[in-house]
Amino acid sequence: QLHIVLVTGVIEKAGKFLISQRSLDESHLPGWWSIPGGKVESTNTVVQNVLEISLRREIMEEVGIEIEDNPKLISNSTFARSTGHSVIWLVFHCFWKSGEAKALSECVEVAWVGLDELSKYKVSNEIVNLINLCSRETTSKT
């Protein structure tokens, strides 16, 4: 069985994390807040660093920002989409490099939030746990 590979980023900037609100037209969790990312597209050529390239592209397309080099893989899991497709989900801890975050494709709003503000948004426990993990990682480095 083939898998869809999904790359997403927990993007950090000055102690805040970027979340984006999913379109109300989405089949999965419409209107919920999540982290930006998207599918790794198939290519006819060999592409080195395909995960990082795809992550950068998807973040730029969805929220219009550039991330620092060397995002760190923090989570990998698999799930079945409502369509029946199997998905491999890779989550990276990223740091903002440039650009102003805005809702571009597939999302309707964006927000930079601290851990104390997450409860004000409709966010899945899984996303909250990923943001907490990145927050602890950053805190332990300082």
Side-chain angles (χ1 to χ4, degrees), residues 8 11-12 25-26 31 53 69 71 80 90 100 104 125-126 128 132 137:
T8 56
I11 306 166
E12 187 171 349
D25 299 330
E26 289 281 338
I53 289 167
D69 290 340
L90 305 170
E100 186 176 331
L104 297 173
N125 287 338
E126 202 160 14
V128 171
N132 272 310
E137 189 176 273

Side-chain angles (χ1 to χ4, degrees), residues 37-114:
K39 295 178 200 157
V40 174
E41 295 171 5
S42 59
T43 63
N44 295 324
T45 58
V46 174
V47 178
Q48 296 296 324
N49 300 318
V50 68
L51 298 177
E52 185 173 320
I53 289 167
S54 298
L55 180 66
R56 288 177 179 287
R57 182 191 67 244
E58 290 294 332
I59 288 171
M60 181 57 76
E61 285 176 5
E62 281 190 22
V63 294
I65 65 170
E66 189 179 356
I67 57 170
E68 294 278 354
D69 290 340
N70 304 313
K72 179 183 177 190
L73 180 67
I74 59 162
S75 175
N76 63 86
S77 58
T78 184
F79 63 91
R81 275 207 156 146
S82 53
T83 57
H85 291 98
S86 294
V87 178
I88 295 174
W89 182 29
L90 305 170
V91 183
F92 293 84
H93 185 186
C94 314
F95 289 88
W96 172 88
K97 183 175 182 180
S98 67
E100 186 176 331
K102 50 193 167 291
L104 297 173
S105 72
E106 298 175 28
C107 60
V108 291
E109 199 175 337
V110 296
W112 288 102
V113 297

